[in-house]
Amino acid sequence: MTVREILKMGDPRLLRVAQPVQHFDTPELHALIADMFDTMEAARGAGLAAPQIGVDLQLVIFGFTQNARYPDRPPVPSTVLLNPVLTPLSDKMVEGWEGCLSVPGLRGKVPRHAHIRYSGVDPLGQPIEREVDGFHAVVVQHECDHLIGRLYPTRMSDLTQLGYTSVLFPDLVDADDD
Ligand code: NI
């Protein structure tokens, strides 16, 4: 198990459309997922997508019980999601502050679908399907955007709402440093 380097905005590997995972329950896949959890936990992230460590696969992990970078957010179940498909369940959008391990030191206010269904498979190839709202829905949309080469600033409608964490949320600076 290894903490991998997290690619930062500007790296063209973050802009690719990722490839579907085709082989499940393999030693290589389990090792990759273990590395992703090590990397996410070392960075205190709420989620991580394979492209963020340079792996061109449709694989995201997310979840936490208490997160230092998002201390006021409710828990999200620990999840490994492969080949995801997201479907908005209403036209309602909500705006919230997001950060990204590939965009260190910054936060932006991002509109997201309030209510979504997501489906995909787990590392064994077993189906996952959930309907979620709140921060869970935001995290899934953020992570799955990494699989289509989108970082959160490209989802923002008002770039005046992009700023340094140390200025916007001084109490979080220790949790969101670079
Ligand atoms: Ni991110």
Side-chain angles (χ1 to χ4, degrees), residues 1-5 27-42 53:
M1 304 213 300
T2 311
V3 173
R4 306 271 200 105
E5 181 191 358
E28 295 79 11
L29 181 62
H30 291 301
L32 169 62
I33 292 165
D35 283 0
M36 287 178 64
F37 273 102
D38 286 351
T39 304
M40 181 176 78
E41 285 161 13
I53 58 167

Coordinates of all heavy atoms in Angstrom, one line a residue, residues 1-5 27-42 53:
M1 N 0.8 -1.2 0.0 CA 0.0 0.0 0.0 C 0.9 1.2 0.0 O 1.9 1.3 0.7 CB -0.9 0.0 1.2 CG -1.7 -1.3 1.3 SD -3.3 -1.0 2.0 CE -2.9 -0.4 3.7
T2 N 0.5 2.2 -0.8 CA 1.3 3.3 -1.1 C 0.5 4.6 -1.2 O -0.6 4.6 -1.8 CB 2.1 3.1 -2.4 OG1 2.6 1.8 -2.4 CG2 3.1 4.2 -2.7
V3 N 1.1 5.7 -0.6 CA 0.5 7.0 -0.9 C 1.1 7.5 -2.2 O 2.3 7.6 -2.4 CB 0.8 8.0 0.2 CG1 0.4 9.4 -0.1 CG2 0.2 7.5 1.5
R4 N 0.2 7.7 -3.2 CA 0.6 8.1 -4.5 C 0.6 9.7 -4.6 O -0.1 10.4 -3.9 CB -0.4 7.6 -5.6 CG -0.6 6.1 -5.5 CD 0.4 5.4 -6.4 NE -0.1 4.0 -6.7 CZ -0.6 3.7 -7.9 NH1 -0.6 4.5 -8.9 NH2 -1.0 2.5 -8.0
E5 N 1.3 10.2 -5.6 CA 1.3 11.6 -5.9 C 0.0 12.0 -6.5 O -0.6 11.3 -7.4 CB 2.4 11.9 -6.9 CG 2.5 13.4 -7.2 CD 3.4 13.7 -8.4 OE1 4.0 12.8 -8.9 OE2 3.5 14.9 -8.7
P27 N -6.1 -8.8 -8.4 CA -5.1 -8.3 -7.5 C -4.7 -6.9 -7.8 O -4.5 -6.0 -6.9 CB -3.9 -9.3 -7.6 CG -4.5 -10.5 -8.1 CD -5.6 -10.1 -9.0
E28 N -4.5 -6.6 -9.1 CA -4.1 -5.2 -9.5 C -5.2 -4.2 -9.1 O -4.8 -3.1 -8.7 CB -3.9 -5.2 -11.0 CG -2.7 -6.1 -11.5 CD -3.0 -7.6 -11.6 OE1 -4.3 -7.9 -11.5 OE2 -2.1 -8.4 -11.8
L29 N -6.4 -4.5 -9.3 CA -7.5 -3.6 -9.0 C -7.5 -3.4 -7.5 O -7.6 -2.2 -7.0 CB -8.8 -4.1 -9.5 CG -10.1 -3.2 -9.2 CD1 -9.9 -1.9 -9.9 CD2 -11.3 -3.9 -9.7
H30 N -7.5 -4.4 -6.7 CA -7.5 -4.3 -5.2 C -6.3 -3.5 -4.7 O -6.4 -2.7 -3.8 CB -7.6 -5.6 -4.6 CG -8.9 -6.4 -4.8 ND1 -10.1 -5.8 -4.4 CD2 -9.1 -7.6 -5.4 CE1 -11.1 -6.7 -4.8 NE2 -10.5 -7.7 -5.3
A31 N -5.1 -3.7 -5.3 CA -3.9 -2.9 -4.9 C -4.1 -1.4 -5.3 O -3.7 -0.6 -4.5 CB -2.7 -3.5 -5.6
L32 N -4.7 -1.2 -6.4 CA -4.9 0.2 -6.8 C -5.9 0.9 -5.9 O -5.7 2.0 -5.4 CB -5.5 0.3 -8.3 CG -6.1 1.6 -8.7 CD1 -5.0 2.7 -8.8 CD2 -6.7 1.4 -10.1
I33 N -7.0 0.2 -5.5 CA -7.9 0.8 -4.6 C -7.3 1.0 -3.2 O -7.6 2.0 -2.6 CB -9.2 -0.1 -4.5 CG1 -9.9 -0.1 -5.9 CG2 -10.1 0.3 -3.4 CD1 -10.9 -1.2 -6.0
A34 N -6.5 0.1 -2.8 CA -5.8 0.3 -1.5 C -4.9 1.5 -1.5 O -4.9 2.3 -0.6 CB -5.0 -1.0 -1.1
D35 N -4.2 1.7 -2.6 CA -3.4 2.9 -2.8 C -4.2 4.2 -2.8 O -3.8 5.2 -2.2 CB -2.6 2.9 -4.1 CG -1.4 1.9 -4.0 OD1 -1.1 1.3 -2.9 OD2 -0.7 1.8 -5.0
M36 N -5.4 4.1 -3.4 CA -6.2 5.3 -3.4 C -6.7 5.6 -2.1 O -6.8 6.8 -1.7 CB -7.4 5.0 -4.4 CG -7.0 5.1 -5.9 SD -8.3 4.7 -7.1 CE -9.4 6.2 -6.8
F37 N -7.1 4.6 -1.3 CA -7.5 4.9 0.1 C -6.4 5.5 0.9 O -6.6 6.5 1.7 CB -8.1 3.7 0.8 CG -9.6 3.5 0.5 CD1 -10.1 2.6 -0.4 CD2 -10.6 4.3 1.2 CE1 -11.4 2.5 -0.7 CE2 -11.9 4.2 0.9 CZ -12.4 3.3 0.0
D38 N -5.2 4.9 0.8 CA -4.0 5.5 1.5 C -3.8 6.9 1.1 O -3.5 7.8 1.9 CB -2.8 4.7 1.2 CG -2.8 3.3 1.8 OD1 -3.6 3.1 2.7 OD2 -1.9 2.5 1.5
T39 N -3.9 7.2 -0.2 CA -3.6 8.6 -0.7 C -4.7 9.5 -0.2 O -4.4 10.6 0.2 CB -3.6 8.5 -2.2 OG1 -2.6 7.5 -2.6 CG2 -3.3 9.9 -2.8
M40 N -6.0 9.1 -0.3 CA -7.1 10.0 0.2 C -6.9 10.3 1.6 O -7.1 11.4 2.1 CB -8.4 9.3 -0.1 CG -9.6 10.2 0.3 SD -11.2 9.4 -0.2 CE -11.4 8.2 1.1
E41 N -6.6 9.2 2.4 CA -6.5 9.5 3.9 C -5.4 10.3 4.2 O -5.5 11.2 5.1 CB -6.5 8.1 4.6 CG -7.9 7.5 4.6 CD -7.9 6.0 4.8 OE1 -6.8 5.4 5.3 OE2 -8.9 5.3 4.6
A42 N -4.2 10.1 3.6 CA -3.0 11.0 3.8 C -3.3 12.4 3.5 O -2.8 13.3 4.2 CB -1.9 10.5 3.0
I53 N -4.5 10.3 -9.6 CA -3.2 9.7 -9.4 C -2.7 9.2 -10.8 O -1.8 8.3 -10.8 CB -3.2 8.6 -8.3 CG1 -4.2 7.5 -8.6 CG2 -3.5 9.2 -7.0 CD1 -3.9 6.2 -7.7

